[in-house]
C-alpha cells in the first residue's frame, strides 16, 4: 500500500470513474445516431457536429457565463447541422455516407475557424453532483463526482427505449426506417421523418460536444475530440439500435478509454500510446464480432444503407 | 449506274451531321461530369464567399491571395506541386476502392504507417547500401504496410461484412497510436527532444528534386501511379471486372467474377499507394518518421478523389488545385489574419456542394444522347 491509501485498487476505481467521465459524450452521440439510424439514414457527420457543438458551447459559456446556455446553443447548432445533412440527403442519387464525411470536414473546419479566439479564455464548467461525500478517501470522492449530463443521458436512454416501443412517434420512426414504401403506404412522408430524426440526432451529438468542452477535459482546443463521433456510429451497430444497449456500450468504451491513464497513474507507462488505441481496437473487434457477410444484422432498420 | 452510285456516296449536309453524331454523343457524355463539377465548384466558391463576407473580410482579396499563394509565381507553383504529390497517392487510395462501390476514408493510417515502415527499414541500411537501393527497400516496405492496412478493410468487408468506411477510420486512429508508440519508444532517436522522431536520414539518402524544379520526385511517382491506375481501370480485364462489381455485386457474382479477390486486391493496391505517399514524405520532405506524417493528406485525398469523380487521370489536375489551396493557407493567415482553418472551411463547403450536385446527373437532356431523338 502506498501513501494514497488504496494502492492498486486505484486502477479499477479509476477505470470506473473514467468510464463514467469518458462515456458521457458517447452516450449522447450514440443516442442521437440511434434515432437517426432508426429512421433509415446514417449520419457520419456527427464527429463534426460534436466538435462544432463543443466550440459553440464553450464560446457561449465564455460570453454569457452560463454553461447551460452553452449547452442549449450547441443543441441549436447541432440541429442546424442535422437539418443540413437531412435536407441534402433528401435529393435522389445523393450518398448519405459521403455527405456525412463532407459534413464532418465542414464541421471541423468551421469549429476551428470560429473557435480560434476561444482557446485562451476560461469558461464556467457544468456542475457535478458529489455522490461520494460519504467517503473520506479523495479518490472515491473524485470518482463519484458525477456530472449532471451523465445522469440526463442515462435517463434519456431509458426514455428512448420506452418511446421507441410505446409511442406513436417511435412507431413512425421504426416504420420509416424499415421501409420507405411501407411508410408511404401509411401516408407518412419518409423524407420529413428522416429530416427531423437527423436534426434530433445532431442536437444530441452537440450535447456530447458541450460536455467535452464544458466538463471533461473542460477546455476548447482543436484536439478535443478523438473520433468519439465516429466511434459512436460503430457503437450503435454494436448496441443493435437499442438505446439501453447504447448506454451500456458507451460505458464500456469509456472504461476502455480510461484504462491507459489509469495504468499510467499507478506507474505503468510502457506502451502508453498503445493504450490510446484501446477504444478503437475494442470498437473494431466488436464490429468484426457482430457483423456477418450473409445475413443482415438482427434489429437493423431495413432502409439503412450501412448494413446493406 | 455511275450517277446513282455517286449520289449515294455524295456527302450531303444531313450525312455530314450523321457522321458528326458519334463525336457529339461522345462530347455530350464527357461534358456532363465536367460541366456539373465546374458548376458545383462555382456554387461552392459563392457560398464560401458569403461566409467570408459575413465575417467582414473581402472574398475577392482572399481569392487573389489564394491564387498568388498557390499559382502566382514559379516558387508558389513548385510549392503547390510538392503538396500535390502525396495527395495524388492518397486520392488513389480512395478512388480505387470507390470503383468497387467502397467508401474507404482511412488513407491517413496507411500514410503514417508507410512512413514509419520506410524509416524503420532505411535506418539499418544507411551507410551500407547505395541510396537507390535504400529507396527501393523503403518504397517496398511502405507499400507493403499500406497494402496490409487498407487491404485489411477489404478483407473484413468481404469476409465479415464489416462496414469499410468505419473500419478504415478506426484503423487510421489505431495506426496513429501505433506510430506514436513506435516513435516514442522502440524507434525513437534519443536526440529528438521536443518532437519525438526516428533518427534522421543522412542528406545523401534524401530523395532529391526533379531536375530543373524544386519539387521532389514524389510528384513524378504520383503522376505515374495515376496514369497506371487509369490504364488498370480502363484498359484491363481486372479493371473491367471491378467496374462491373462496383455497379452491381450480384450481377458480378452471377457472371462468375471473384468479387472477394477484387475487393481485397483493389483495397490492397489502394493501400500500397497511400503507404508509398508516407514513405515519400519521410524520404523527401521530413527526413525522419515523426508526428508530422499525420498532417491530413489522407483526409484531403478523400476530397480530391470525390472531386475527380474517382477518375485517376482527373485526380492529377484536382490534386494540384487542392495542393495550391493548401499551399496558400499560410499566406492567407499572415496577410488577412484569418485562421489556418479557412482552407478547411473552403474544402468542406466544396465537398458538400459537389456531392449534392450528384443529384443533377442524368437530369439534363443535352448530356444524354439517348434522349436526343425524342426531343427532336
Amino acid at each position: 500500500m502506498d501513501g494514497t491509501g488504496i494502492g492498486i485498487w486505484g486502477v479499477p476505481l479509476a477505470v470506473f470513474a473514467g468510464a463514467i467521465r469518458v462515456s458521457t459524450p458517447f452516450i449522447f452521440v450514440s443516442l442521437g445516431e440511434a434515432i437517426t439510424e432508426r429512421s433509415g439514414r446514417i449520419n457520419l457527420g456527427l464527429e463534426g457536429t460534436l466538435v462544432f457543438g463543443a466550440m459553440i458551447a464553450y464560446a457561449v459559456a465564455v460570453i454569457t457565463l452560463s454553461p447551460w446556455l452553452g449547452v442549449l446553443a450547441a443543441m441549436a447548432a447541432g440541429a442546424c447541422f442535422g437539418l443540413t445533412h437531412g435536407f441534402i440527403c433528401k435529393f435522389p442519387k445523393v450518398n448519405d455516407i459521403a455527405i456525412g464525411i463532407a459534413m464532418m470536414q465542414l464541421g471541423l473546419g468551421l469549429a476551428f475557424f470560429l473557435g480560434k479566439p476561444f482557446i485562451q479564455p476560461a469558461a464556467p464548467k457544468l456542475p457535478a453532483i458529489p455522490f461520494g461525500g460519504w467517503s473520506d478517501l479523495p479518490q472515491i470522492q473524485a470518482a463519484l463526482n458525477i456530472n449532471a449530463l451523465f445522469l440526463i443521458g442515462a435517463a434519456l436512454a431509458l426514455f428512448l427505449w420506452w418511446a421507441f416501443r410505446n409511442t406513436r412517434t417511435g412507431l413512425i420512426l421504426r416504420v420509416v426506417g424499415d421501409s420507405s414504401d411501407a411508410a408511404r403506404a401509411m401516408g407518412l412522408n419518409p423524407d420529413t421523418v428522416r429530416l427531423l430524426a437527423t436534426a434530433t440526432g445532431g442536437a444530441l451529438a452537440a450535447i456530447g460536444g458541450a460536455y467535452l468542452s464544458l466538463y471533461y477535459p473542460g477546455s476548447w482546443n482543436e484536439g478535443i475530440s478523438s473520433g468519439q463521433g465516429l466511434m459512436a456510429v460503430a457503437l450503435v451497430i454494436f448496441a443493435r439500435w437499442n438505446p439501453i444497449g447504447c448506454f451500456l456500450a458507451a460505458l464500456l468504451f469509456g472504461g476502455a478509454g480510461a484504462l491507459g491513464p489509469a495504468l499510467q497513474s499507478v506507474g505503468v507507462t510502457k506502451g502508453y500510446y498503445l493504450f490510446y488505441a484501446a477504444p478503437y481496437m475494442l470498437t473494431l473487434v466488436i464490429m468484426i464480432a457482430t457483423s456477418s457477410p450473409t445475413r443482415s444484422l438482427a434489429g437493423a432498420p431495413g432502409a439503412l444503407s450501412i448494413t446493406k | 449506274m455511275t450517277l446513282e452510285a455517286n449520289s449515294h456516296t455524295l456527302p450531303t449536309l444531313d450525312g455530314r451531321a450523321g457522321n458528326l453524331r458519334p463525336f457529339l454523343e461522345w462530347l455530350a457524355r464527357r461534358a456532363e461530369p465536367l460541366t456539373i463539377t465546374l458548376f458545383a465548384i462555382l456554387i461552392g466558391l459563392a457560398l464560401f464567399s458569403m461566409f467570408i463576407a459575413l465575417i467582414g473580410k473581402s472574398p475577392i482579396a482572399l481569392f487573389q491571395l489564394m491564387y498568388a499563394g498557390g499559382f502566382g509565381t514559379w516558387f508558389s507553383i513548385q510549392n503547390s506541386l510538392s503538396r500535390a504529390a502525396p495527395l495524388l497517392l492518397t486520392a488513389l487510395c480512395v478512388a480505387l476502392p470507390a470503383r468497387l462501390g467502397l467508401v474507404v476514408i482511412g488513407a491517413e493510417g496507411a500514410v503514417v504507417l508507410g512512413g514509419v515502415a520506410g524509416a524503420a527499414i532505411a535506418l539499418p541500411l544507411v551507410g551500407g547500401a547505395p541510396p537507390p537501393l535504400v529507396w527501393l527497400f523503403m518504397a517496398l516496405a511502405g507499400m507493403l504496410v499500406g497494402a496490409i492496412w487498407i487491404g485489411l478493410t477489404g478483407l473484413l468487408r468481404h469476409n465479415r461484412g464489416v462496414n469499410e468506411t468505419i473500419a478504415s477510420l478506426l484503423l487510421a486512429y489505431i495506426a496513429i497510436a501505433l506510430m506514436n508508440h513506435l516513435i516514442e519508444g522502440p524507434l525513437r532517436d534519443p536526440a529528438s527532444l521536443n518532437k519525438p522522431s526516428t533518427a534522421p536520414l543522412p542528406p545523401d539518402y534524401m530523395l532529391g528534386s526533379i531536375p530543373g524544379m524544386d519539387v521532389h520526385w514524389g510528384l513524378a511517382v504520383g503522376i505515374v501511379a495515376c496514369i497506371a491506375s487509369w490504364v488498370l481501370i480502363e484498359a484491363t480485364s481486372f479493371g473491367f471486372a471491378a467496374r462491373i462489381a462496383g455497379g452491381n455485386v450480384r450481377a458480378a457474382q452471377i457472371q462468375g467474377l471473384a468479387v472477394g479477390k477484387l475487393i481485397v486486391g483493389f483495397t490492397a493496391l489502394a493501400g500500397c499507394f497511400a503507404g508509398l505517399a508516407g514513405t515519400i514524405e519521410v524520404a523527401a520532405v521530413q527526413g525522419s518518421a515523426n508526428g508530422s506524417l499525420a498532417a491530413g493528406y489522407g483526409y484531403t485525398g478523400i476530397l480530391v478523389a470525390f472531386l475527380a469523380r474517382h477518375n485517376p487521370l482527373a485526380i492529377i489536375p484536382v490534386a494540384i488545385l487542392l495542393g495550391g489551396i493548401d499551399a496558400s493557407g499560410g499566406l492567407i493567415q499572415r496577410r488577412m489574419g484569418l485562421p489556418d482553418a479557412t482552407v478547411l472551411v473552403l474544402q468542406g463547403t466544396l465537398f458538400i456542394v459537389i456531392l449534392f450536385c450528384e443529384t443533377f446527373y442524368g437530369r439534363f437532356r443535352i448530356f444524354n444522347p439517348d434522349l436526343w431523338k425524342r426531343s427532336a
Side-chain angles (χ1 to χ4, degrees), chain A residues 44 88 91-93 98 101-103 105 109 112-113 116 227 230 233 273 281 288 291-293 306, chain B residues 55 105 159-160 163 165-166 169 173-174 180 184 299 339-342 345 351-352 355-356 359 361 363:
Chain A
L44 283 191
I88 295 174
F91 291 87
K93 289 189 197 170
I101 300 166
M103 289 293 293
Q105 274 202 343
F112 297 167
F113 186 100
K116 259 284 169 334
L230 279 152
V233 177
Y273 284 91
M281 286 297 294
I288 294 168
S291 300
S292 163
I306 203 155
Chain B
I55 55 164
I105 61 173
N159 289 345
R160 296 289 321 164
N163 179 272
T165 311
I166 296 171
L169 207 85
Y173 282 110
I174 294 170
N180 283 328
E184 286 272 1
Y299 300 113
D340 46 359
T342 314
V345 177
F351 199 177
I352 291 177
L355 290 171
F356 174 64
T359 193
Y361 281 85
R363 284 223 188 156

Short mmCIF file of all heavy atoms in Angstrom, two decimals, chain A residues 44 88 91-93 98 101-103 105 109 112-113 116 227 230 233 273 281 288 291-293 306, chain B residues 55 105 159-160 163 165-166 169 173-174 180 184 299 339-342 345 351-352 355-356 359 361 363:
data_model
loop_
_atom_site.label_atom_id
_atom_site.label_comp_id
_atom_site.label_asym_id
_atom_site.label_seq_id
_atom_site.Cartn_x
_atom_site.Cartn_y
_atom_site.Cartn_z
N LEU A 44 -22.66 10.19 -40.72
CA LEU A 44 -21.27 10.08 -40.27
C LEU A 44 -20.72 11.45 -39.88
O LEU A 44 -19.61 11.55 -39.39
CB LEU A 44 -20.38 9.49 -41.37
CG LEU A 44 -20.44 8.01 -41.64
CD1 LEU A 44 -19.31 7.61 -42.57
CD2 LEU A 44 -20.34 7.22 -40.37
N ILE A 88 -29.97 17.76 -47.60
CA ILE A 88 -29.19 17.39 -48.79
C ILE A 88 -29.47 15.93 -49.18
O ILE A 88 -29.61 15.61 -50.36
CB ILE A 88 -27.69 17.61 -48.53
CG1 ILE A 88 -27.41 19.09 -48.33
CG2 ILE A 88 -26.86 17.09 -49.69
CD1 ILE A 88 -26.00 19.41 -47.93
N PHE A 91 -32.36 14.50 -51.63
CA PHE A 91 -32.36 14.50 -53.09
C PHE A 91 -31.90 13.15 -53.63
O PHE A 91 -31.10 12.47 -53.00
CB PHE A 91 -31.46 15.63 -53.61
CG PHE A 91 -32.03 16.97 -53.35
CD1 PHE A 91 -31.78 17.62 -52.15
CD2 PHE A 91 -32.87 17.57 -54.26
CE1 PHE A 91 -32.34 18.85 -51.88
CE2 PHE A 91 -33.44 18.80 -54.01
CZ PHE A 91 -33.17 19.44 -52.81
N PRO A 92 -32.40 12.76 -54.79
CA PRO A 92 -32.01 11.47 -55.34
C PRO A 92 -30.53 11.45 -55.71
O PRO A 92 -29.96 12.48 -56.03
CB PRO A 92 -32.88 11.33 -56.59
CG PRO A 92 -33.33 12.71 -56.92
CD PRO A 92 -33.40 13.45 -55.63
N LYS A 93 -29.93 10.25 -55.65
CA LYS A 93 -28.55 9.99 -56.05
C LYS A 93 -27.54 10.60 -55.09
O LYS A 93 -26.34 10.61 -55.38
CB LYS A 93 -28.25 10.53 -57.46
CG LYS A 93 -28.91 9.74 -58.54
CD LYS A 93 -28.38 10.21 -59.87
CE LYS A 93 -29.30 9.76 -60.99
NZ LYS A 93 -28.96 10.38 -62.24
N ALA A 98 -21.27 9.57 -47.83
CA ALA A 98 -20.31 10.56 -48.33
C ALA A 98 -20.64 11.95 -47.82
O ALA A 98 -19.75 12.71 -47.42
CB ALA A 98 -20.29 10.54 -49.86
N ILE A 101 -19.28 12.37 -44.44
CA ILE A 101 -17.84 12.67 -44.38
C ILE A 101 -17.61 14.15 -44.68
O ILE A 101 -16.81 14.82 -44.04
CB ILE A 101 -17.07 11.78 -45.38
CG1 ILE A 101 -17.29 10.31 -45.06
CG2 ILE A 101 -15.59 12.09 -45.37
CD1 ILE A 101 -16.86 9.37 -46.16
N ALA A 102 -18.35 14.67 -45.67
CA ALA A 102 -18.18 16.07 -46.04
C ALA A 102 -18.64 16.99 -44.90
O ALA A 102 -17.99 17.99 -44.59
CB ALA A 102 -18.97 16.37 -47.31
N MET A 103 -19.77 16.64 -44.26
CA MET A 103 -20.27 17.46 -43.15
C MET A 103 -19.28 17.42 -41.99
O MET A 103 -19.14 18.39 -41.25
CB MET A 103 -21.62 16.94 -42.66
CG MET A 103 -22.79 17.16 -43.60
SD MET A 103 -23.22 18.89 -43.79
CE MET A 103 -23.82 19.29 -42.16
N GLN A 105 -16.02 17.22 -42.30
CA GLN A 105 -14.95 18.16 -42.64
C GLN A 105 -15.40 19.60 -42.43
O GLN A 105 -14.65 20.41 -41.89
CB GLN A 105 -14.54 17.97 -44.10
CG GLN A 105 -13.49 16.87 -44.28
CD GLN A 105 -12.72 17.05 -45.57
OE1 GLN A 105 -13.14 17.77 -46.46
NE2 GLN A 105 -11.59 16.38 -45.67
N GLY A 109 -13.87 22.20 -39.82
CA GLY A 109 -13.32 23.45 -40.35
C GLY A 109 -13.95 24.67 -39.70
O GLY A 109 -13.26 25.58 -39.23
N PHE A 112 -12.87 25.02 -35.98
CA PHE A 112 -11.50 25.52 -35.82
C PHE A 112 -11.44 26.99 -36.23
O PHE A 112 -10.73 27.79 -35.63
CB PHE A 112 -10.51 24.71 -36.66
CG PHE A 112 -10.42 23.26 -36.27
CD1 PHE A 112 -9.78 22.34 -37.08
CD2 PHE A 112 -10.97 22.82 -35.08
CE1 PHE A 112 -9.69 21.00 -36.71
CE2 PHE A 112 -10.90 21.48 -34.71
CZ PHE A 112 -10.27 20.58 -35.53
N PHE A 113 -12.18 27.32 -37.28
CA PHE A 113 -12.15 28.70 -37.79
C PHE A 113 -12.74 29.66 -36.77
O PHE A 113 -12.12 30.62 -36.35
CB PHE A 113 -12.95 28.76 -39.10
CG PHE A 113 -12.88 30.09 -39.80
CD1 PHE A 113 -12.01 30.26 -40.87
CD2 PHE A 113 -13.68 31.14 -39.40
CE1 PHE A 113 -11.94 31.47 -41.51
CE2 PHE A 113 -13.60 32.36 -40.04
CZ PHE A 113 -12.73 32.53 -41.10
N LYS A 116 -11.08 29.83 -32.92
CA LYS A 116 -9.73 30.32 -32.66
C LYS A 116 -9.65 31.30 -31.48
O LYS A 116 -8.79 31.15 -30.61
CB LYS A 116 -9.15 31.00 -33.92
CG LYS A 116 -8.18 30.16 -34.74
CD LYS A 116 -6.84 30.08 -34.13
CE LYS A 116 -5.81 29.14 -34.61
NZ LYS A 116 -5.94 27.94 -35.26
N GLY A 227 -12.36 11.26 -32.38
CA GLY A 227 -13.15 10.27 -33.08
C GLY A 227 -14.37 9.75 -32.33
O GLY A 227 -14.98 8.78 -32.76
N LEU A 230 -17.40 9.32 -34.48
CA LEU A 230 -17.40 8.22 -35.42
C LEU A 230 -17.53 6.89 -34.73
O LEU A 230 -18.20 5.98 -35.21
CB LEU A 230 -16.11 8.25 -36.22
CG LEU A 230 -16.23 9.27 -37.33
CD1 LEU A 230 -14.91 9.81 -37.69
CD2 LEU A 230 -16.91 8.62 -38.51
N VAL A 233 -20.92 5.73 -34.09
CA VAL A 233 -21.65 5.08 -35.18
C VAL A 233 -21.49 3.55 -35.08
O VAL A 233 -22.44 2.79 -35.19
CB VAL A 233 -21.15 5.58 -36.54
CG1 VAL A 233 -21.85 4.86 -37.67
CG2 VAL A 233 -21.39 7.07 -36.66
N TYR A 273 1.15 4.71 -25.36
CA TYR A 273 0.43 5.15 -26.55
C TYR A 273 -0.45 4.04 -27.12
O TYR A 273 -1.45 4.30 -27.77
CB TYR A 273 1.41 5.65 -27.61
CG TYR A 273 1.93 7.01 -27.26
CD1 TYR A 273 3.08 7.15 -26.50
CD2 TYR A 273 1.23 8.14 -27.62
CE1 TYR A 273 3.54 8.40 -26.14
CE2 TYR A 273 1.67 9.40 -27.26
CZ TYR A 273 2.83 9.51 -26.52
OH TYR A 273 3.25 10.75 -26.15
N MET A 281 -9.50 -0.24 -30.94
CA MET A 281 -9.36 -1.69 -31.09
C MET A 281 -10.65 -2.38 -30.66
O MET A 281 -11.17 -3.27 -31.33
CB MET A 281 -8.21 -2.21 -30.23
CG MET A 281 -6.83 -1.91 -30.74
SD MET A 281 -6.48 -2.67 -32.32
CE MET A 281 -6.51 -4.38 -31.87
N ILE A 288 -16.21 -6.54 -35.87
CA ILE A 288 -15.91 -7.80 -36.55
C ILE A 288 -16.77 -8.92 -35.97
O ILE A 288 -17.35 -9.73 -36.69
CB ILE A 288 -14.41 -8.14 -36.42
CG1 ILE A 288 -13.57 -7.11 -37.16
CG2 ILE A 288 -14.13 -9.54 -36.96
CD1 ILE A 288 -12.09 -7.20 -36.87
N SER A 291 -20.62 -8.42 -37.00
CA SER A 291 -21.06 -8.32 -38.39
C SER A 291 -21.14 -9.71 -39.02
O SER A 291 -20.55 -10.66 -38.51
CB SER A 291 -20.08 -7.46 -39.18
OG SER A 291 -20.01 -6.18 -38.63
N SER A 292 -21.84 -9.76 -40.10
CA SER A 292 -21.92 -11.03 -40.82
C SER A 292 -22.06 -10.75 -42.30
O SER A 292 -22.79 -9.84 -42.70
CB SER A 292 -23.13 -11.84 -40.34
OG SER A 292 -23.41 -12.83 -41.29
N PRO A 293 -21.34 -11.51 -43.14
CA PRO A 293 -21.41 -11.24 -44.57
C PRO A 293 -22.69 -11.74 -45.21
O PRO A 293 -23.07 -11.31 -46.28
CB PRO A 293 -20.19 -12.00 -45.12
CG PRO A 293 -19.94 -13.08 -44.13
CD PRO A 293 -20.38 -12.56 -42.81
N ILE A 306 -25.94 1.38 -44.37
CA ILE A 306 -24.66 0.87 -43.89
C ILE A 306 -24.69 -0.64 -43.66
O ILE A 306 -23.66 -1.29 -43.63
CB ILE A 306 -24.25 1.60 -42.60
CG1 ILE A 306 -22.73 1.50 -42.41
CG2 ILE A 306 -24.95 1.06 -41.38
CD1 ILE A 306 -22.17 2.60 -41.59
N ILE B 55 -18.14 37.41 -42.14
CA ILE B 55 -17.26 37.73 -41.03
C ILE B 55 -16.43 38.97 -41.31
O ILE B 55 -15.49 39.28 -40.60
CB ILE B 55 -16.33 36.54 -40.66
CG1 ILE B 55 -15.54 36.10 -41.87
CG2 ILE B 55 -17.09 35.39 -40.08
CD1 ILE B 55 -14.38 35.23 -41.49
N ILE B 105 -12.07 5.65 -46.11
CA ILE B 105 -11.64 7.00 -45.75
C ILE B 105 -10.44 6.98 -44.81
O ILE B 105 -10.10 7.99 -44.22
CB ILE B 105 -12.79 7.82 -45.14
CG1 ILE B 105 -13.30 7.17 -43.87
CG2 ILE B 105 -13.91 8.01 -46.12
CD1 ILE B 105 -14.32 8.02 -43.13
N ASN B 159 -15.18 -10.73 -46.05
CA ASN B 159 -15.35 -11.96 -45.27
C ASN B 159 -16.27 -11.82 -44.09
O ASN B 159 -16.88 -12.79 -43.65
CB ASN B 159 -13.99 -12.46 -44.79
CG ASN B 159 -13.16 -13.00 -45.93
OD1 ASN B 159 -13.71 -13.25 -47.01
ND2 ASN B 159 -11.89 -13.14 -45.73
N ARG B 160 -16.34 -10.62 -43.50
CA ARG B 160 -17.13 -10.47 -42.30
C ARG B 160 -18.28 -9.47 -42.47
O ARG B 160 -19.07 -9.29 -41.54
CB ARG B 160 -16.25 -10.00 -41.13
CG ARG B 160 -15.18 -10.98 -40.70
CD ARG B 160 -15.72 -12.21 -40.00
NE ARG B 160 -16.83 -11.88 -39.12
CZ ARG B 160 -17.67 -12.78 -38.62
NH1 ARG B 160 -17.52 -14.04 -38.91
NH2 ARG B 160 -18.65 -12.41 -37.83
N ASN B 163 -18.47 -2.83 -42.17
CA ASN B 163 -18.52 -1.63 -42.99
C ASN B 163 -17.13 -1.03 -43.16
O ASN B 163 -16.44 -0.75 -42.17
CB ASN B 163 -19.46 -0.61 -42.35
CG ASN B 163 -19.51 0.66 -43.16
OD1 ASN B 163 -18.72 1.55 -42.96
ND2 ASN B 163 -20.43 0.71 -44.10
N THR B 165 -16.09 1.84 -44.33
CA THR B 165 -15.87 3.25 -44.00
C THR B 165 -15.42 3.39 -42.55
O THR B 165 -14.41 4.02 -42.24
CB THR B 165 -17.17 4.04 -44.22
OG1 THR B 165 -17.68 3.71 -45.50
CG2 THR B 165 -16.93 5.52 -44.14
N ILE B 166 -16.19 2.78 -41.65
CA ILE B 166 -15.88 2.90 -40.23
C ILE B 166 -14.62 2.12 -39.90
O ILE B 166 -13.75 2.61 -39.18
CB ILE B 166 -17.08 2.41 -39.40
CG1 ILE B 166 -18.27 3.33 -39.66
CG2 ILE B 166 -16.74 2.41 -37.92
CD1 ILE B 166 -19.55 2.84 -39.06
N LEU B 169 -11.50 3.97 -40.86
CA LEU B 169 -11.23 5.12 -40.00
C LEU B 169 -10.71 4.69 -38.64
O LEU B 169 -9.79 5.29 -38.08
CB LEU B 169 -12.49 5.95 -39.84
CG LEU B 169 -12.09 7.37 -39.57
CD1 LEU B 169 -11.83 8.11 -40.84
CD2 LEU B 169 -13.11 8.06 -38.75
N TYR B 173 -7.01 5.60 -36.75
CA TYR B 173 -6.71 6.01 -35.37
C TYR B 173 -5.74 5.05 -34.72
O TYR B 173 -4.82 5.45 -34.00
CB TYR B 173 -7.99 6.10 -34.54
CG TYR B 173 -8.79 7.35 -34.80
CD1 TYR B 173 -10.02 7.29 -35.46
CD2 TYR B 173 -8.34 8.59 -34.39
CE1 TYR B 173 -10.76 8.43 -35.70
CE2 TYR B 173 -9.06 9.73 -34.62
CZ TYR B 173 -10.27 9.65 -35.27
OH TYR B 173 -10.99 10.78 -35.52
N ILE B 174 -5.94 3.75 -34.97
CA ILE B 174 -5.03 2.75 -34.39
C ILE B 174 -3.63 2.95 -34.96
O ILE B 174 -2.63 2.88 -34.23
CB ILE B 174 -5.56 1.32 -34.68
CG1 ILE B 174 -6.88 1.10 -33.93
CG2 ILE B 174 -4.54 0.27 -34.27
CD1 ILE B 174 -7.61 -0.16 -34.32
N ASN B 180 2.76 6.68 -32.81
CA ASN B 180 3.23 7.39 -31.61
C ASN B 180 3.99 6.45 -30.70
O ASN B 180 5.01 6.83 -30.12
CB ASN B 180 2.04 8.00 -30.87
CG ASN B 180 1.55 9.25 -31.55
OD1 ASN B 180 2.33 9.98 -32.16
ND2 ASN B 180 0.25 9.50 -31.49
N GLU B 184 7.93 7.11 -30.07
CA GLU B 184 8.21 7.49 -28.69
C GLU B 184 9.05 6.41 -28.01
O GLU B 184 9.73 6.66 -27.03
CB GLU B 184 6.92 7.64 -27.88
CG GLU B 184 6.13 8.88 -28.20
CD GLU B 184 6.58 10.06 -27.35
OE1 GLU B 184 7.52 9.89 -26.55
OE2 GLU B 184 5.99 11.13 -27.51
N TYR B 299 -6.97 12.74 -45.46
CA TYR B 299 -8.32 13.30 -45.49
C TYR B 299 -8.54 14.21 -46.68
O TYR B 299 -9.60 14.20 -47.29
CB TYR B 299 -8.62 14.01 -44.16
CG TYR B 299 -8.53 13.05 -43.01
CD1 TYR B 299 -7.54 13.16 -42.04
CD2 TYR B 299 -9.40 11.96 -42.94
CE1 TYR B 299 -7.43 12.23 -41.02
CE2 TYR B 299 -9.30 11.04 -41.92
CZ TYR B 299 -8.32 11.18 -40.96
OH TYR B 299 -8.22 10.24 -39.97
N PRO B 339 -7.76 32.46 -39.67
CA PRO B 339 -7.15 31.24 -39.14
C PRO B 339 -6.77 30.28 -40.26
O PRO B 339 -7.32 30.35 -41.38
CB PRO B 339 -8.26 30.62 -38.28
CG PRO B 339 -9.30 31.65 -38.15
CD PRO B 339 -9.15 32.62 -39.26
N ASP B 340 -5.84 29.35 -39.96
CA ASP B 340 -5.43 28.39 -40.98
C ASP B 340 -6.57 27.45 -41.35
O ASP B 340 -6.52 26.81 -42.39
CB ASP B 340 -4.19 27.59 -40.53
CG ASP B 340 -4.32 27.08 -39.12
OD1 ASP B 340 -5.37 27.37 -38.50
OD2 ASP B 340 -3.41 26.40 -38.63
N ALA B 341 -7.61 27.39 -40.51
CA ALA B 341 -8.74 26.52 -40.81
C ALA B 341 -9.59 27.05 -41.96
O ALA B 341 -10.52 26.39 -42.40
CB ALA B 341 -9.60 26.33 -39.57
N THR B 342 -9.27 28.28 -42.48
CA THR B 342 -10.02 28.82 -43.61
C THR B 342 -10.05 27.82 -44.76
O THR B 342 -11.09 27.61 -45.40
CB THR B 342 -9.33 30.12 -44.10
OG1 THR B 342 -9.05 30.91 -42.96
CG2 THR B 342 -10.22 30.87 -45.05
N VAL B 345 -12.54 25.08 -44.17
CA VAL B 345 -13.92 25.50 -44.40
C VAL B 345 -14.21 25.47 -45.90
O VAL B 345 -15.24 24.97 -46.34
CB VAL B 345 -14.18 26.91 -43.83
CG1 VAL B 345 -15.60 27.36 -44.14
CG2 VAL B 345 -13.93 26.93 -42.34
N PHE B 351 -16.77 20.24 -50.90
CA PHE B 351 -17.07 18.82 -50.82
C PHE B 351 -18.58 18.60 -50.77
O PHE B 351 -19.14 17.79 -51.53
CB PHE B 351 -16.40 18.27 -49.56
CG PHE B 351 -16.20 16.79 -49.55
CD1 PHE B 351 -15.54 16.20 -48.48
CD2 PHE B 351 -16.66 15.98 -50.57
CE1 PHE B 351 -15.36 14.83 -48.44
CE2 PHE B 351 -16.47 14.61 -50.54
CZ PHE B 351 -15.83 14.04 -49.47
N ILE B 352 -19.26 19.34 -49.90
CA ILE B 352 -20.71 19.15 -49.76
C ILE B 352 -21.43 19.50 -51.05
O ILE B 352 -22.29 18.76 -51.52
CB ILE B 352 -21.24 19.99 -48.58
CG1 ILE B 352 -20.71 19.40 -47.27
CG2 ILE B 352 -22.76 20.03 -48.58
CD1 ILE B 352 -21.10 20.17 -46.06
N LEU B 355 -20.95 16.84 -53.76
CA LEU B 355 -21.74 15.64 -53.52
C LEU B 355 -23.22 15.91 -53.77
O LEU B 355 -23.94 15.07 -54.31
CB LEU B 355 -21.54 15.15 -52.08
CG LEU B 355 -20.17 14.58 -51.78
CD1 LEU B 355 -20.02 14.35 -50.29
CD2 LEU B 355 -19.96 13.29 -52.52
N PHE B 356 -23.65 17.10 -53.39
CA PHE B 356 -25.04 17.48 -53.61
C PHE B 356 -25.35 17.49 -55.10
O PHE B 356 -26.42 17.04 -55.53
CB PHE B 356 -25.30 18.84 -52.98
CG PHE B 356 -26.66 19.39 -53.27
CD1 PHE B 356 -27.79 18.74 -52.79
CD2 PHE B 356 -26.82 20.55 -54.00
CE1 PHE B 356 -29.05 19.24 -53.05
CE2 PHE B 356 -28.08 21.05 -54.27
CZ PHE B 356 -29.19 20.39 -53.80
N THR B 359 -26.90 14.89 -57.69
CA THR B 359 -28.33 14.74 -57.97
C THR B 359 -28.68 15.26 -59.37
O THR B 359 -29.71 14.90 -59.92
CB THR B 359 -29.17 15.44 -56.89
OG1 THR B 359 -30.52 15.02 -57.02
CG2 THR B 359 -29.11 16.94 -57.01
N TYR B 361 -26.99 14.64 -62.12
CA TYR B 361 -26.57 13.75 -63.20
C TYR B 361 -27.79 13.08 -63.83
O TYR B 361 -28.68 12.60 -63.14
CB TYR B 361 -25.59 12.70 -62.69
CG TYR B 361 -24.20 13.26 -62.55
CD1 TYR B 361 -23.83 13.93 -61.40
CD2 TYR B 361 -23.30 13.17 -63.59
CE1 TYR B 361 -22.56 14.48 -61.27
CE2 TYR B 361 -22.04 13.72 -63.49
CZ TYR B 361 -21.68 14.37 -62.33
OH TYR B 361 -20.43 14.92 -62.22
N ARG B 363 -30.14 14.51 -65.36
CA ARG B 363 -31.34 15.33 -65.39
C ARG B 363 -31.43 16.20 -66.63
O ARG B 363 -32.49 16.66 -66.99
CB ARG B 363 -31.36 16.23 -64.15
CG ARG B 363 -31.74 15.50 -62.92
CD ARG B 363 -32.70 16.31 -62.10
NE ARG B 363 -32.90 15.66 -60.81
CZ ARG B 363 -33.28 16.29 -59.74
NH1 ARG B 363 -33.49 17.60 -59.79
NH2 ARG B 363 -33.47 15.66 -58.62
#
